[in-house]
Coordinates of all heavy atoms in Angstrom, one line a residue:
G254 N 0.8 -1.2 0.0 CA 0.0 0.0 0.0 C 0.9 1.3 0.0 O 0.5 2.3 -0.6
Q255 N 2.0 1.3 0.8 CA 2.8 2.4 0.9 C 3.4 2.7 -0.5 O 3.4 3.8 -1.0 CB 4.0 2.3 1.8 CG 3.6 2.3 3.3 CD 4.7 2.0 4.2 OE1 5.6 1.4 3.9 NE2 4.5 2.5 5.4
W256 N 3.9 1.7 -1.2 CA 4.4 1.9 -2.6 C 3.4 2.3 -3.6 O 3.6 3.3 -4.3 CB 5.1 0.6 -3.0 CG 5.6 0.7 -4.4 CD1 6.8 1.2 -4.8 CD2 4.9 0.2 -5.6 NE1 6.9 1.1 -6.2 CE2 5.8 0.5 -6.7 CE3 3.7 -0.4 -5.9 CZ2 5.5 0.3 -8.1 CZ3 3.4 -0.6 -7.2 CH2 4.2 -0.3 -8.2
M257 N 2.2 1.7 -3.5 CA 1.1 2.1 -4.4 C 0.7 3.5 -4.2 O 0.2 4.2 -5.1 CB 0.0 1.1 -4.3 CG 0.3 -0.3 -4.9 SD 0.7 -0.3 -6.5 CE -0.9 0.2 -7.4
S258 N 0.7 4.0 -2.9 CA 0.3 5.4 -2.7 C 1.1 6.3 -3.4 O 0.8 7.6 -3.5 CB 0.4 5.7 -1.1 OG 1.7 5.8 -0.7
M259 N 2.3 6.0 -4.0 CA 3.2 6.9 -4.6 C 3.1 6.7 -6.1 O 4.0 7.2 -6.9 CB 4.6 6.7 -4.1 CG 4.8 7.1 -2.7 SD 6.5 6.9 -2.1 CE 6.7 5.2 -2.0
R260 N 2.0 6.0 -6.5 CA 1.8 5.8 -8.0 C 0.5 6.3 -8.5 O -0.5 5.6 -8.9 CB 1.9 4.3 -8.2 CG 3.1 3.5 -8.0 CD 4.3 4.2 -8.8 NE 4.1 4.3 -10.2 CZ 4.5 3.4 -11.2 NH1 5.2 2.4 -10.8 NH2 4.1 3.6 -12.4
P261 N 0.3 7.6 -8.5 CA -0.9 8.3 -9.0 C -1.2 8.0 -10.5 O -2.4 8.1 -11.0 CB -0.7 9.7 -8.8 CG 0.7 9.9 -8.8 CD 1.3 8.6 -8.2
D262 N -0.2 7.4 -11.2 CA -0.3 7.1 -12.6 C -1.1 5.7 -12.7 O -1.6 5.4 -13.8 CB 1.0 7.0 -13.4 CG 2.0 6.0 -12.7 OD1 2.0 6.0 -11.4 OD2 2.6 5.2 -13.4
M263 N -1.3 5.0 -11.6 CA -1.8 3.7 -11.7 C -3.2 3.6 -10.9 O -4.0 2.7 -11.2 CB -0.9 2.6 -11.1 CG 0.4 2.5 -11.8 SD 1.5 1.4 -11.0 CE 0.7 -0.2 -11.3
L264 N -3.5 4.6 -10.0 CA -4.7 4.5 -9.2 C -5.3 5.8 -9.1 O -4.7 6.9 -9.3 CB -4.3 4.1 -7.8 CG -3.7 2.6 -7.6 CD1 -3.2 2.5 -6.2 CD2 -4.7 1.6 -7.9
P265 N -6.6 5.9 -8.9 CA -7.4 7.1 -8.8 C -7.1 7.9 -7.6 O -6.6 7.3 -6.6 CB -8.9 6.7 -8.8 CG -8.9 5.3 -8.4 CD -7.5 4.7 -8.8
P266 N -7.3 9.2 -7.6 CA -6.9 10.1 -6.5 C -7.4 9.6 -5.1 O -6.8 9.7 -4.1 CB -7.4 11.4 -6.8 CG -7.4 11.4 -8.3 CD -7.8 10.0 -8.7
D267 N -8.7 9.2 -5.0 CA -9.2 8.8 -3.8 C -8.6 7.6 -3.1 O -8.3 7.5 -1.9 CB -10.8 8.5 -3.8 CG -11.1 7.4 -4.8 OD1 -10.4 7.3 -5.9 OD2 -12.1 6.7 -4.6
V268 N -8.1 6.7 -4.0 CA -7.3 5.5 -3.5 C -5.9 5.9 -3.1 O -5.4 5.5 -2.1 CB -7.2 4.4 -4.6 CG1 -6.4 3.2 -4.1 CG2 -8.7 3.9 -4.9
I269 N -5.3 6.8 -3.8 CA -4.0 7.3 -3.5 C -4.1 8.0 -2.1 O -3.3 7.8 -1.2 CB -3.5 8.3 -4.5 CG1 -3.2 7.6 -5.9 CG2 -2.2 9.1 -4.0 CD1 -2.1 6.5 -5.8
S270 N -5.2 8.8 -1.9 CA -5.4 9.5 -0.7 C -5.4 8.5 0.6 O -4.8 8.7 1.6 CB -6.5 10.4 -0.7 OG -6.8 11.0 0.5
A271 N -6.2 7.5 0.3 CA -6.5 6.5 1.4 C -5.1 5.7 1.7 O -4.8 5.5 2.9 CB -7.6 5.5 1.0
L272 N -4.5 5.3 0.6 CA -3.2 4.6 0.8 C -2.1 5.4 1.4 O -1.2 5.0 2.1 CB -2.8 3.9 -0.5 CG -3.6 2.8 -1.1 CD1 -3.1 2.5 -2.4 CD2 -3.6 1.6 -0.2
S273 N -2.1 6.7 1.2 CA -1.2 7.7 1.7 C -1.1 7.7 3.3 O -0.1 7.9 3.8 CB -1.4 9.1 1.2 OG -1.1 9.1 -0.2
R274 N -2.2 7.3 3.8 CA -2.3 7.2 5.3 C -1.4 6.2 5.9 O -1.1 6.2 7.0 CB -3.7 7.2 5.8 CG -4.5 8.4 5.7 CD -5.9 8.3 6.2 NE -6.8 8.6 5.0 CZ -7.9 7.9 4.7 NH1 -8.2 6.9 5.4 NH2 -8.6 8.2 3.7
L275 N -1.0 5.2 5.0 CA -0.1 4.1 5.5 C 1.3 4.6 5.7 O 2.1 4.0 6.3 CB -0.1 3.0 4.5 CG -1.4 2.2 4.3 CD1 -1.2 1.3 3.2 CD2 -1.8 1.5 5.5
R276 N 1.6 5.8 5.1 CA 3.0 6.3 5.3 C 3.1 7.7 6.0 O 4.1 8.2 6.3 CB 3.7 6.3 3.9 CG 3.0 7.1 2.9 CD 3.8 7.0 1.5 NE 3.0 7.6 0.5 CZ 3.2 8.9 0.2 NH1 4.0 9.7 0.8 NH2 2.3 9.4 -0.7
D277 N 1.9 8.2 6.4 CA 1.9 9.5 7.1 C 1.3 9.3 8.4 O 0.4 8.4 8.7 CB 1.0 10.4 6.3 CG 1.6 10.9 5.0 OD1 2.8 10.8 4.8 OD2 0.8 11.3 4.1
D278 N 1.7 10.1 9.4 CA 1.2 10.2 10.8 C 1.2 8.7 11.4 O 0.2 8.4 12.1 CB -0.3 10.7 10.7 CG -0.3 12.1 10.1 OD1 0.6 12.8 10.3 OD2 -1.4 12.4 9.4
V279 N 2.3 8.1 11.2 CA 2.4 6.8 11.9 C 3.3 6.9 13.1 O 4.4 7.5 13.0 CB 3.0 5.8 10.9 CG1 3.2 4.4 11.6 CG2 2.1 5.6 9.7
P280 N 2.9 6.6 14.3 CA 3.7 6.8 15.4 C 5.0 5.8 15.3 O 4.9 4.8 14.8 CB 2.8 6.4 16.6 CG 1.7 5.5 16.0 CD 1.6 5.9 14.6
Q281 N 6.1 6.4 15.9 CA 7.3 5.6 15.9 C 7.3 4.6 16.9 O 6.5 4.8 17.9 CB 8.5 6.6 16.1 CG 8.6 7.2 17.4 CD 9.8 8.2 17.5 OE1 10.0 8.9 16.7 NE2 10.4 8.1 18.7
H282 N 8.0 3.5 16.7 CA 8.0 2.5 17.8 C 9.3 2.7 18.6 O 10.2 3.5 18.3 CB 8.0 1.1 17.2 CG 8.9 0.8 16.1 ND1 8.5 0.8 14.8 CD2 10.2 0.4 16.1 CE1 9.4 0.5 14.0 NE2 10.6 0.2 14.8
S283 N 9.3 2.1 19.8 CA 10.3 2.5 20.7 C 11.7 1.9 20.4 O 11.8 0.9 19.6 CB 9.9 1.8 22.2 OG 10.0 0.5 22.1
M284 N 12.8 2.4 21.0 CA 14.1 1.9 20.9 C 14.1 0.5 21.5 O 14.9 -0.4 20.9 CB 15.2 2.7 21.5 CG 15.6 3.9 20.6 SD 16.3 3.3 19.0 CE 17.8 2.5 19.5
A285 N 13.4 0.2 22.5 CA 13.3 -1.2 23.0 C 12.9 -2.1 22.0 O 13.4 -3.3 21.8 CB 12.5 -1.2 24.2
H286 N 11.9 -1.8 21.2 CA 11.4 -2.6 20.1 C 12.5 -2.7 19.0 O 12.7 -3.8 18.5 CB 10.2 -2.0 19.5 CG 9.6 -2.7 18.3 ND1 8.8 -3.9 18.5 CD2 9.7 -2.4 17.0 CE1 8.5 -4.3 17.3 NE2 9.0 -3.4 16.4
N287 N 13.1 -1.6 18.6 CA 14.2 -1.6 17.6 C 15.3 -2.6 18.1 O 15.7 -3.5 17.3 CB 14.9 -0.3 17.5 CG 14.0 0.8 16.8 OD1 12.9 0.4 16.2 ND2 14.3 2.0 17.0
R288 N 15.7 -2.5 19.3 CA 16.8 -3.4 19.9 C 16.4 -4.8 19.9 O 17.2 -5.7 19.4 CB 17.2 -3.0 21.2 CG 17.9 -1.6 21.3 CD 18.2 -1.2 22.8 NE 19.0 0.0 22.8 CZ 20.2 0.2 22.5 NH1 20.9 -0.9 22.0 NH2 20.8 1.3 22.5
A289 N 15.1 -5.2 20.3 CA 14.7 -6.5 20.3 C 14.6 -7.1 18.9 O 15.0 -8.3 18.7 CB 13.3 -6.5 21.0
I290 N 14.1 -6.3 17.9 CA 14.0 -6.9 16.6 C 15.4 -7.0 16.0 O 15.6 -8.1 15.4 CB 13.1 -6.0 15.7 CG1 11.7 -5.9 16.2 CG2 13.2 -6.3 14.2 CD1 11.0 -7.2 16.1
F291 N 16.3 -6.1 16.2 CA 17.6 -6.2 15.6 C 18.3 -7.4 16.3 O 19.0 -8.1 15.5 CB 18.4 -4.9 15.9 CG 19.7 -4.8 15.2 CD1 19.7 -4.3 13.9 CD2 20.9 -5.2 15.7 CE1 20.9 -4.2 13.2 CE2 22.1 -5.2 15.1 CZ 22.1 -4.6 13.8
R292 N 18.2 -7.6 17.6 CA 18.8 -8.7 18.2 C 18.4 -10.0 17.8 O 19.1 -11.0 17.5 CB 18.7 -8.6 19.8 CG 19.4 -9.5 20.6 CD 19.2 -9.4 22.1 NE 19.2 -7.9 22.5 CZ 18.2 -7.3 23.0 NH1 16.9 -7.8 23.0 NH2 18.3 -6.0 23.4
S293 N 17.0 -10.1 17.6 CA 16.4 -11.4 17.1 C 16.7 -11.7 15.7 O 16.9 -12.8 15.3 CB 15.0 -11.4 17.4 OG 14.3 -10.5 16.5
T294 N 16.9 -10.7 14.8 CA 17.2 -10.9 13.4 C 18.7 -11.2 13.2 O 19.1 -12.0 12.5 CB 16.8 -9.6 12.6 OG1 15.4 -9.4 12.9 CG2 17.1 -9.7 11.2
F295 N 19.6 -10.4 13.9 CA 21.0 -10.5 13.6 C 21.8 -11.2 14.7 O 23.0 -11.4 14.5 CB 21.6 -9.1 13.3 CG 21.0 -8.5 12.1 CD1 20.1 -7.5 12.2 CD2 21.3 -8.9 10.8 CE1 19.5 -6.9 11.1 CE2 20.7 -8.3 9.7 CZ 19.9 -7.3 9.9
G296 N 21.2 -11.4 15.9 CA 22.0 -12.0 17.0 C 23.0 -11.0 17.6 O 24.0 -11.5 18.2
L297 N 22.9 -9.8 17.3 CA 23.9 -8.8 17.8 C 23.2 -7.6 18.3 O 22.0 -7.4 18.0 CB 24.8 -8.3 16.7 CG 25.7 -9.4 15.9 CD1 26.3 -8.9 14.7 CD2 26.8 -9.8 16.9
E298 N 23.9 -6.8 19.2 CA 23.4 -5.6 19.7 C 23.7 -4.5 18.7 O 24.6 -4.6 18.0 CB 23.9 -5.3 21.1 CG 23.7 -6.3 22.2 CD 22.2 -6.4 22.5 OE1 21.5 -5.4 22.4 OE2 21.7 -7.5 22.8
L299 N 22.9 -3.4 18.8 CA 23.1 -2.2 17.9 C 24.4 -1.7 18.0 O 25.1 -1.4 17.0 CB 22.1 -1.2 18.1 CG 20.6 -1.4 17.7 CD1 19.7 -0.3 18.2 CD2 20.6 -1.5 16.2
E300 N 25.0 -1.6 19.3 CA 26.4 -1.1 19.6 C 27.4 -1.9 18.9 O 28.5 -1.4 18.7 CB 26.5 -0.8 21.0 CG 25.6 0.2 21.6 CD 24.2 -0.3 21.9 OE1 23.9 -1.6 21.8 OE2 23.4 0.6 22.2
E301 N 27.1 -3.2 18.7 CA 28.2 -4.1 18.1 C 28.3 -3.8 16.6 O 29.4 -4.0 16.1 CB 27.8 -5.6 18.4 CG 27.8 -5.9 19.8 CD 27.4 -7.3 19.9 OE1 28.3 -8.2 19.7 OE2 26.2 -7.6 20.3
V302 N 27.3 -3.4 15.9 CA 27.2 -3.1 14.5 C 27.5 -1.7 14.1 O 28.1 -1.4 13.1 CB 26.0 -3.7 13.9 CG1 25.9 -3.5 12.4 CG2 25.8 -5.2 14.2
F303 N 27.0 -0.7 14.9 CA 26.9 0.6 14.6 C 27.8 1.4 15.5 O 27.8 1.2 16.7 CB 25.5 1.3 14.7 CG 24.6 0.6 13.7 CD1 23.8 -0.4 14.0 CD2 24.6 1.1 12.3 CE1 22.8 -1.0 13.1 CE2 23.7 0.4 11.4 CZ 22.9 -0.6 11.8
E304 N 28.6 2.4 14.9 CA 29.4 3.3 15.7 C 28.5 4.3 16.5 O 28.7 4.6 17.6 CB 30.4 4.1 14.9 CG 31.5 3.3 14.5 CD 32.6 4.0 13.7 OE1 32.4 5.3 13.5 OE2 33.5 3.4 13.3
W305 N 27.4 4.7 15.8 CA 26.4 5.6 16.3 C 25.1 5.2 15.7 O 25.0 4.8 14.5 CB 26.7 7.0 16.3 CG 27.0 7.6 14.9 CD1 28.3 7.7 14.4 CD2 26.2 8.1 14.0 NE1 28.3 8.2 13.1 CE2 27.0 8.6 12.9 CE3 24.8 8.3 13.9 CZ2 26.4 9.1 11.7 CZ3 24.2 8.8 12.8 CH2 25.1 9.3 11.7
F306 N 24.0 5.4 16.4 CA 22.6 5.1 15.9 C 21.7 6.2 16.5 O 21.5 6.2 17.7 CB 22.2 3.8 16.3 CG 21.0 3.2 15.7 CD1 21.0 2.4 14.6 CD2 19.8 3.6 16.3 CE1 19.8 1.9 14.1 CE2 18.6 3.1 15.8 CZ 18.6 2.3 14.7
E307 N 21.1 7.0 15.6 CA 20.2 8.1 16.2 C 18.9 7.5 16.7 O 18.3 6.7 16.0 CB 20.0 9.2 15.1 CG 21.2 10.0 14.8 CD 20.9 11.2 14.0 OE1 19.7 11.4 13.5 OE2 21.8 12.0 13.7
V308 N 18.6 7.8 17.9 CA 17.4 7.3 18.5 C 16.1 7.7 17.8 O 15.2 6.9 17.5 CB 17.3 7.7 20.0 CG1 15.9 7.2 20.6 CG2 18.5 7.1 20.7
N309 N 16.1 9.0 17.4 CA 14.8 9.5 16.8 C 14.8 9.1 15.2 O 15.8 9.5 14.6 CB 14.7 11.0 17.0 CG 14.4 11.3 18.4 OD1 13.7 10.6 19.0 ND2 15.1 12.3 18.9
P310 N 13.9 8.4 14.7 CA 13.8 8.2 13.3 C 13.7 9.4 12.4 O 13.0 10.3 12.8 CB 12.6 7.2 13.1 CG 11.7 7.6 14.2 CD 12.6 8.1 15.4
I311 N 14.2 9.3 11.2 CA 13.9 10.4 10.2 C 12.7 10.2 9.4 O 12.1 11.1 8.8 CB 15.2 10.6 9.3 CG1 15.5 9.4 8.5 CG2 16.4 11.1 10.1 CD1 16.5 9.5 7.5
A312 N 12.2 9.0 9.5 CA 10.9 8.7 8.8 C 10.3 7.4 9.5 O 11.0 6.5 10.0 CB 11.1 8.3 7.3
S313 N 9.0 7.3 9.6 CA 8.3 6.3 10.2 C 7.1 5.9 9.3 O 6.3 6.8 9.0 CB 7.9 6.7 11.6 OG 7.3 5.5 12.2
G314 N 6.8 4.7 9.1 CA 5.7 4.2 8.3 C 5.2 2.9 8.9 O 5.7 2.5 9.9
T315 N 4.2 2.3 8.2 CA 3.6 1.2 8.8 C 4.5 -0.1 8.7 O 4.3 -1.0 9.4 CB 2.3 0.8 8.1 OG1 2.4 0.8 6.7 CG2 1.2 1.9 8.4
V316 N 5.4 -0.1 7.7 CA 6.3 -1.2 7.5 C 7.6 -1.1 8.2 O 8.1 -2.1 8.7 CB 6.5 -1.4 6.0 CG1 7.5 -2.5 5.7 CG2 5.2 -1.7 5.2
A317 N 8.1 0.1 8.3 CA 9.4 0.3 8.9 C 9.6 1.8 9.3 O 8.8 2.6 8.9 CB 10.5 0.0 7.9
Q318 N 10.7 2.0 10.0 CA 11.2 3.4 10.2 C 12.6 3.5 9.9 O 13.3 2.5 9.9 CB 10.8 3.9 11.6 CG 11.4 3.1 12.8 CD 10.8 3.7 14.1 OE1 9.6 4.0 14.2 NE2 11.7 3.6 15.2
V319 N 13.1 4.6 9.6 CA 14.4 4.9 9.1 C 15.2 5.7 10.1 O 14.7 6.8 10.6 CB 14.4 5.6 7.8 CG1 15.8 5.8 7.3 CG2 13.6 4.8 6.8
H320 N 16.4 5.3 10.5 CA 17.2 6.0 11.4 C 18.6 6.3 10.7 O 19.0 5.5 9.9 CB 17.6 5.1 12.7 CG 16.4 4.8 13.5 ND1 16.1 5.5 14.6 CD2 15.4 3.9 13.4 CE1 15.0 5.1 15.2 NE2 14.6 4.0 14.4
R321 N 19.2 7.4 11.1 CA 20.6 7.7 10.7 C 21.5 6.8 11.6 O 21.2 6.7 12.8 CB 20.9 9.1 10.9 CG 20.2 10.0 9.8 CD 20.8 11.4 9.8 NE 20.2 12.1 8.7 CZ 19.2 13.0 8.8 NH1 18.5 13.0 9.9 NH2 18.7 13.6 7.7
A322 N 22.6 6.4 11.0 CA 23.5 5.5 11.7 C 24.8 5.4 10.9 O 24.8 5.6 9.7 CB 23.0 4.1 12.0
A323 N 25.9 4.9 11.6 CA 27.2 4.6 10.9 C 27.6 3.3 11.3 O 27.7 2.9 12.5 CB 28.2 5.7 11.2
L324 N 27.9 2.5 10.3 CA 28.4 1.1 10.6 C 29.8 1.2 11.1 O 30.6 2.0 10.8 CB 28.3 0.3 9.2 CG 27.0 -0.1 8.7 CD1 27.1 -0.7 7.3 CD2 26.3 -1.1 9.6
R325 N 30.1 0.2 11.9 CA 31.5 -0.1 12.4 C 32.2 -0.5 11.1 O 31.6 -1.2 10.2 CB 31.6 -1.0 13.5 CG 30.9 -0.5 14.8 CD 31.3 -1.3 15.9 NE 30.7 -0.7 17.2 CZ 31.3 0.3 17.8 NH1 32.3 0.8 17.4 NH2 30.6 0.8 18.9
P326 N 33.5 -0.3 11.0 CA 34.3 -0.7 9.9 C 34.2 -2.2 9.5 O 34.1 -2.5 8.3 CB 35.8 -0.3 10.2 CG 35.6 0.8 11.1 CD 34.3 0.6 11.9
A327 N 34.1 -3.0 10.5 CA 34.0 -4.4 10.2 C 32.7 -4.9 9.5 O 32.7 -5.9 8.9 CB 34.1 -5.2 11.5
F328 N 31.6 -4.0 9.5 CA 30.4 -4.3 8.9 C 30.2 -3.4 7.6 O 29.1 -3.5 7.1 CB 29.3 -4.1 9.9 CG 29.3 -5.0 11.1 CD1 29.9 -4.7 12.2 CD2 28.7 -6.4 10.9 CE1 30.0 -5.6 13.3 CE2 28.8 -7.3 11.9 CZ 29.4 -6.9 13.1
S329 N 31.1 -2.5 7.3 CA 30.9 -1.6 6.2 C 31.1 -2.3 4.9 O 31.7 -3.4 4.7 CB 31.8 -0.4 6.3 OG 33.2 -0.7 6.2
H330 N 30.5 -1.7 3.8 CA 30.6 -2.2 2.5 C 32.0 -2.1 2.0 O 32.7 -1.4 2.5 CB 29.6 -1.3 1.6 CG 29.5 -1.7 0.2 ND1 30.4 -1.3 -0.7 CD2 28.6 -2.6 -0.4 CE1 30.1 -1.9 -1.9 NE2 28.9 -2.6 -1.7
S331 N 32.4 -3.0 1.2 CA 33.8 -3.1 0.6 C 34.2 -1.7 0.1 O 35.5 -1.4 0.1 CB 34.0 -4.2 -0.4 OG 33.1 -4.0 -1.4
A332 N 33.3 -0.9 -0.4 CA 33.7 0.3 -1.0 C 33.9 1.4 0.1 O 34.3 2.5 -0.2 CB 32.6 0.8 -2.0
G333 N 33.7 1.1 1.4 CA 34.0 1.9 2.5 C 32.8 2.8 2.9 O 32.9 3.6 3.8
E334 N 31.6 2.5 2.3 CA 30.4 3.3 2.8 C 30.0 2.9 4.2 O 29.9 1.7 4.4 CB 29.3 3.1 1.8 CG 29.5 3.7 0.5 CD 29.0 2.8 -0.7 OE1 28.4 1.8 -0.4 OE2 29.2 3.1 -1.9
R335 N 29.8 3.9 5.0 CA 29.4 3.5 6.4 C 28.3 4.2 6.9 O 27.7 3.8 8.0 CB 30.7 3.8 7.3 CG 31.9 3.0 6.9 CD 33.1 3.3 7.7 NE 32.9 3.3 9.1 CZ 33.6 4.1 9.9 NH1 34.5 4.9 9.5 NH2 33.4 4.1 11.2
E336 N 27.8 5.3 6.3 CA 26.7 6.0 6.8 C 25.4 5.8 6.0 O 25.6 5.5 4.8 CB 26.9 7.5 7.0 CG 27.9 7.8 8.1 CD 28.2 9.3 8.3 OE1 27.3 10.1 7.9 OE2 29.2 9.6 8.9

């Protein structure tokens, strides 16, 4: 639904409006939730993988939320990208 809400070329305006609510005004989930999901998925703590991890998300939707962070060198891409 979030993806489709960005496709006005495929759906009528009323449907786009309804689907847009899936990516707007969604409350963020807690850092405790982030930590638990990360730990259960990767078997590591955030601090083991990231040099820093901003607590407040820059975006939040029904499927995920986005945080700024920097990977530790051991986990960075071979090209050296870390943020």
Side-chain angles (χ1 to χ4, degrees):
Q255 288 177 333
W256 177 81
M257 290 301 292
S258 73
M259 296 181 285
R260 295 301 310 260
D262 59 316
M263 297 176 71
L264 297 169
D267 61 323
V268 174
I269 294 297
S270 177
L272 292 175
S273 292
R274 285 184 241 136
L275 295 174
R276 54 186 173 88
D277 293 335
D278 301 324
V279 177
Q281 68 185 42
H282 49 264
S283 70
M284 273 305 289
H286 177 78
N287 292 341
R288 289 178 179 285
I290 295 298
F291 192 86
R292 188 180 314 112
S293 70
T294 302
F295 299 106
L297 298 166
E298 298 297 326
L299 287 172
E300 293 80 9
E301 294 177 81
V302 177
F303 298 99
E304 287 184 0
W305 55 268
F306 188 98
E307 288 188 2
V308 173
N309 294 320
I311 58 174
S313 185
T315 57
V316 174
Q318 60 188 36
V319 180
H320 294 261
R321 286 189 174 96
L324 289 168
R325 293 194 177 278
F328 295 95
S329 66
H330 186 270
S331 62
E334 296 146 356
R335 296 175 50 211
E336 291 186 20

